Amino acid sequence: MPKGELRRGWTTGACATAATKAALMRLWGGVFPADVGIVLPKGETPVFPLALVEEGDGWARVGITKDAGDDPDVTHGALIVVTVSASDGGVVFRAGEGVGVVTKAGLPIGVGEPAINPVPRQMMEAVVSEMAAEFGQSPDVVIEVSVPGGQELALKTWNPRLGIEGGISILGTTGVVRPFSCAAWIASIHRGIDVARADGLTHVAGCTGATSERVVQGLYGLPDHAMLDMGDFAGGMLKYLARHPVPRVTIGGGIGKMTKLAQGAMDLHSGRSQVDFAGLAAMMNDERLSTANTALEAYEIAGAPLAEAVAALALERLQSGFSDMSFDVVIIDRAGAILARAGA
């Protein structure tokens, strides 16, 4: 992680908006700017250098390189390209190379639409209105957004699981990427729940990592879009499920994170919650556990009864907060063996 204050960056939606503005300046004003400034929803005014400019009969194209600041964003360095041309009426969005198309219900954009989220659409529509007024033009524009290499980048995102095919999404609610923010991950969990509900799924699973996800998916034969990529964000998933319930929810993970969940933690990251070893010792009536360094070491001391007790306590905590959902818990070791199960 970089030292000192972390540098923020700009979303794909902000880059697409700036590219739209610069391309319209050429299409309607005759000149590409050297750089272009926009106003973001919360009033920030970033300025973007142009990385690509092209033009033809009735169209103009601008590319802007996404700078995600110090955030480990998979789209950092990607070229966000917008091509503008006249439409038959209003603003029309199209997905170019590397931008996905929505194929499942439950997302904020309808099936068949380019995966350009609502706020970026609003930002680009506002720029079209602004530029149309400045140059005396009708605000009737086709905006095609493309991201070279976006189809490969999308494989590193939740898009395939959410039913967004062919590339990445153009995202952002504020236009700003805040370094190491949890918001994007939690938002993806929420969209996963939306898609599962819209598809009528009655059983979903949230797991802490790839191994537990593989085991749980195989255990129950769940489809990909039933797997919610919970990671460390149990609280983010459960709070959303409280408002958007699914009848059955499986929680899977290793002994360490499941112990923290059983002890009441909702953020399971090692830097933000810790196992209470004294609590484990009291629960198991085994003072040796109070001096363990890790939950795995505690398991090695106490064996299967510890994993079973943790699973049962985790289930009790989960079920106590929800009357309209049924939970089960699966604890898995690093090799993929199931150590304990509780519920369902």
Side-chain angles (χ1 to χ4, degrees), residues 18 21-26 30-37 48-50 53 62:
K21 182 174 181 179
L24 289 173
M25 292 170 76
R26 174 62 185 89
V31 177
F32 285 114
D35 51 38
V36 60
F48 299 84
L50 276 55
V53 293
V62 169

Side-chain angles (χ1 to χ4, degrees), residues 205 207 211-223 227 338:
C207 298
T211 300
S212 55
E213 181 173 278
R214 172 178 55 79
V215 172
V216 167
Q217 186 171 19
L219 186 63
Y220 294 113
L222 294 172
M227 310 305 293
I338 294 175

